[in-house]
Amino acid sequence: MEKQSEKYKMQTFIEINLKKDLNKALAELGFIKPTPIQAKTIPILMDSDRDMIGSAQTGTGKTAAFGIPIIESCKPSGKTQALVLCPTRELAVQVAEEIGALQGNKGLKIETVYGGTDIDKHAKLLDKGVDLIVGTPGRVIDMSKRGHIHLSEIGIFCLDEADRMLDMGFFPDVLWVVEKMTNRRQTMLFSATFPQEVLDASIEFTKDPFHVM
Ligand code: AMP
């Protein structure tokens, strides 16, 4: 798979046909050259619904590596099309902020969903319709059980920092969420390390994934 990633390697963001909004937002953020993981993943993810497994730590630009293809795949419709699961509230906020900045004027509604906050407020926001949810597993499950998140309608799933999810004991929750996403068509899994449980999950959650180190 590495060979295929190499084939698609891009030097600048201009080389891929990103929509105008995104190109402008990237230029405004000062993103000219993709980081290595972005160069290997974005062209493939933009070209197809292929699953991917990324071995990447924070600081590598992994958020934009999955964020840019997600933005390009989603439409502002008020129907949730993508879910990003993060191990902590801080990371969820950071990921949502970065995707929000990257999307420019595209107008996708992005909602963060994490514990320790007013549940009714979150429920009301979700009921108004959101295009993309970034959240932590426990609160996502809670909102799904209360009928404010419809996991079966979501097509794109990204599991960020899978190894930290495991360390924090969130894996049973992650499995619950994945099982309910019956119409999942694309899965991206990122992890800094690959202990056995993460390896097993990556095999179970993905179909014919490409791997990026
Ligand atoms: P991450 O690994 O996703 O947490 O990203 C680390 C930092 O690098 C974040 O502050 C991003 O905004 C920034 N960043 C990501 N991709 C690029 C890029 N292609 N050019 C410049 N900065 C970037």
Side-chain angles (χ1 to χ4, degrees):
M1 274 315 110
E2 202 52 27
K3 236 193 223 156
Q4 186 174 2
S5 318
E6 291 297 323
K7 183 176 127 196
Y8 282 101
K9 216 163 179 174
M10 55 172 179
Q11 300 297 322
T12 64
F13 284 111
I14 303 293
E15 285 169 41
I16 40 173
N17 279 331
L18 295 172
K19 304 223 172 68
K20 252 200 297 179
D21 279 333
L22 211 87
N23 259 332
K24 197 163 158 257
L26 284 170
E28 277 171 14
L29 288 171
F31 285 24
I32 312 290
K33 240 175 101 57
T35 66
I37 191 159
Q38 291 165 1
K40 287 178 181 174
T41 56
I42 294 172
I44 301 177
L45 294 172
M46 298 259 313
D47 227 24
S48 68
D49 276 345
R50 269 196 79 176
D51 286 350
M52 76 146 295
I53 296 170
S55 168
Q57 293 175 343
T58 300
T60 53
K62 68 180 163 68
T63 313
F66 64 77
I68 290 173
I70 287 177
I71 293 166
E72 288 283 280
S73 297
C74 293
K75 292 189 205 76
S77 69
K79 198 168 166 269
T80 309
Q81 298 142 74
L83 169 69
V84 181
L85 276 189
C86 301
T88 65
R89 162 197 186 137
E90 291 72 25
L91 186 63
V93 169
Q94 202 181 306
V95 166
E97 278 176 4
E98 176 137 359
I99 296 180
L102 286 168
Q103 73 154 331
N105 296 321
K106 180 156 181 176
L108 294 173
K109 271 201 174 168
I110 304 166
E111 192 53 50
T112 44
V113 172
Y114 46 76
T117 46
D118 184 344
I119 204 154
D120 293 328
K121 195 176 128 210
H122 264 159
K124 273 190 199 128
L125 286 169
L126 288 169
D127 289 348
K128 279 190 193 160
V130 299
D131 302 299
L132 165 59
I133 293 172
V134 185
T136 52
R139 184 56 70 95
V140 167
I141 290 180
D142 201 353
M143 287 306 191
S144 164
K145 285 184 175 165
R146 289 166 190 246
H148 303 294
I149 295 179
H150 307 287
L151 291 171
S152 65
E153 294 175 357
I154 301 175
I156 304 173
F157 175 54
C158 178
L159 181 61
D160 197 11
E161 303 206 349
D163 50 355
R164 271 180 87 197
M165 294 272 195
L166 179 71
D167 289 344
M168 295 170 79
F170 291 154
F171 248 50
D173 287 351
V174 172
L175 294 173
W176 191 96
V177 170
V178 173
E179 252 172 44
K180 296 284 181 293
M181 296 181 73
T182 44
N183 285 304
R184 195 163 42 101
R185 63 166 200 279
Q186 183 171 43
T187 299
M188 294 165 260
L189 182 149
F190 286 86
S191 202
T193 60
F194 281 81
Q196 192 60 45
E197 289 94 329
V198 174
L199 271 180
D200 292 346
S202 63
I203 292 165
E204 199 177 319
F205 296 175
T206 61
K207 210 171 82 198
D208 185 28
F210 68 95
H211 295 76
V212 178
M213 303 284 283

